[in-house]
Amino acid sequence: WGIEGMQETGRWLDQAGIVHAGAGDTHGAARAPQYLEAAHARVALISLASTFRPTSESLPASGLAPGRPGISGLHLAAVLHVPPAALRALQAARCAVQPQHCDEAGTAGELFGQKFRQAEDASASYSMDPVDLAEILQSVRTAQQHADFVIVAIHSHECSRNCEGGDTPAGAADFLRQLAHDAIDSGADLFVATGNHNLGAIEVYDSPARGKRPVFYGLGNFFWSDIQEPLPADLRRGNGATLAAAWENPAKATDYDLTAPLNTQTFATPFTFQSVLAESRFANGELSAIVLHPVEEGYGNSLTTSGIPQLVSDTAEAREIIGQVVLQNERFGLPALDIRYSAGTATVRP
């Protein structure tokens, strides 16, 4: 909802006493850390996003051009890695629409603005904009100078592997590992990613400069709403075919009548309604344990209760939820976690 929506969100958060970061009326305000004054410590938060709509990111002033309000954005350049057969198909398509490139051969190319490169398996890689990265890490160093504990949070929907779609949990993008390590080396004590609507991997990163620190590559959904309203007109226009297929008279469809079939296509899975509360414990300035409290949000419940988080008490269900993290660690190429189960919780030892 544009700048007005961003500013209104900030007002509501301020009124509720919730510390928030990553958006502002100036580029500097969007990048800046914000602070929680707790009873025995000051906690800093740096927030950013790699997934955002065009023109949503803040901009600094440049010459006669004024700056722009918005969010703290991290721009990415993506390259698709494709098997040989897919590479040949892409090169043939490129030749058909761009004849001037028909004589070019090789293991890489670009079509419709998307770069691709030959590889054994299908995946995607992302390179971070160096200017954005430098500004973000400078904010982390600033936060570390002014706070006792520093959290870096990113909103990221990018995926490098295991990106099949709505019925399969998505894996995090590879660039997040480098970003998390750089952030911790620069002064962060905890790094967390959200965006993909499922649990992700957990890493205990042993920073040469700062010791063991937790990295959460996806915490899924803590709250979830089956109804999205009000819906903007462009969303209705863009999903006219879905409405026509679902309802005999689309003109009578309510906002929920549109979100219901959209949810069925993408979010009709139990893991969309499962998450964890991650409790990171520190001793003598270093991570000593991560206690995971599994949460479920009423998959299949009525709309009045669906999406409200409840702690899981059933041991089998708790292990199934934590098992998603174990699988994501394996897929992300991270070491297996040392997990100790106790009733409805799981403790990760560094």
Side-chain angles (χ1 to χ4, degrees):
W1 300 102
I3 294 170
E4 294 86 353
M6 179 196 77
Q7 293 171 334
E8 183 181 352
T9 300
R11 288 194 296 271
W12 280 108
L13 291 170
D14 290 339
Q15 183 176 319
I18 296 175
V19 174
H20 57 99
D25 288 333
T26 66
H27 184 65
R31 289 285 198 225
Q34 300 298 327
Y35 301 93
L36 170 68
E37 300 291 348
H40 302 290
R42 176 183 292 166
V43 181
L45 172 66
I46 293 96
S47 186
L48 60 139
S50 58
T51 304
F52 50 87
R53 293 189 174 109
T55 74
S56 293
E57 75 275 30
S58 62
L59 286 181
S62 178
L64 291 176
R68 184 174 71 198
I71 64 173
S72 176
L74 173 60
H75 292 84
L76 303 173
V79 176
L80 297 181
H81 300 262
V82 297
L87 177 72
R88 291 191 294 271
L90 286 169
Q91 288 174 331
R94 187 186 189 199
C95 175
V97 299
Q98 300 172 350
Q100 68 271 27
H101 296 294
C102 287
D103 294 333
E104 296 179 7
T107 58
E110 183 174 339
L111 181 63
F112 303 132
Q114 177 61 63
K115 294 183 178 180
F116 55 87
R117 182 182 303 147
Q118 181 175 316
E120 291 185 8
D121 301 307
S123 64
S125 62
Y126 303 85
S127 56
M128 296 178 281
D129 181 90
V131 175
D132 287 344
L133 181 60
E135 291 180 353
I136 291 162
L137 296 181
Q138 184 183 50
S139 292
V140 176
R141 290 192 294 273
T142 298
Q144 199 240 353
Q145 292 168 342
H146 291 83
D148 303 293
F149 193 87
V150 179
I151 300 170
V152 175
I154 184 172
H155 178 80
S156 172
H157 284 270
E158 288 77 25
C159 175
S160 287
R161 295 175 181 83
N162 304 111
C163 311
E164 287 81 3
D167 59 349
T168 304
D174 287 350
F175 81 91
L176 287 175
R177 189 180 309 185
Q178 185 61 54
L179 177 62
H181 293 184
D182 287 349
I184 291 172
D185 292 340
S186 297
D189 295 292
L190 185 153
F191 182 94
V192 58
T194 57
N196 290 333
H197 297 280
N198 54 263
L199 284 169
I202 295 176
E203 178 184 16
V204 177
Y205 171 53
D206 194 356
S207 169
R210 313 201 59 251
K212 293 181 173 64
R213 295 292 187 272
V215 178
F216 301 97
Y217 289 106
L219 287 182
N221 302 314
F222 182 53
F223 294 102
W224 182 254
S225 177
D226 283 324
I227 302 178
Q228 179 185 339
E229 59 180 12
L231 292 181
D234 59 349
L235 187 61
R236 281 182 168 271
R237 285 196 302 267
N239 290 280
T242 299
L243 275 173
W247 306 105
E248 182 176 349
N249 190 342
K252 294 183 178 180
T254 66
D255 287 350
Y256 177 68
D257 291 334
L258 174 56
T259 53
L262 293 178
N263 286 342
T264 301
Q265 295 171 16
T266 310
F267 300 123
T269 51
F271 63 74
T272 303
F273 293 76
Q274 294 173 333
S275 184
V276 295
L277 292 177
E279 177 188 352
S280 299
R281 297 178 178 177
F282 287 76
N284 300 317
E286 190 163 299
L287 181 70
S288 60
I290 302 170
V291 182
L292 302 177
H293 304 268
V295 168
E296 63 87 22
E297 296 150 30
Y299 177 63
N301 286 6
S302 69
L303 295 179
T304 56
T305 59
S306 173
I308 299 175
Q310 301 287 335
L311 288 172
V312 172
S313 57
D314 180 75
T315 301
E317 184 178 4
R319 283 177 176 259
E320 187 272 327
I321 293 174
I322 301 302
Q324 298 174 36
V325 176
V326 174
L327 177 60
Q328 292 284 18
N329 268 53
E330 180 182 334
R331 290 178 170 179
F332 207 45
L334 291 172
L337 297 171
D338 180 6
I339 301 179
R340 316 286 173 86
Y341 292 94
S342 176
T345 65
T347 301
V348 178
R349 298 291 180 184

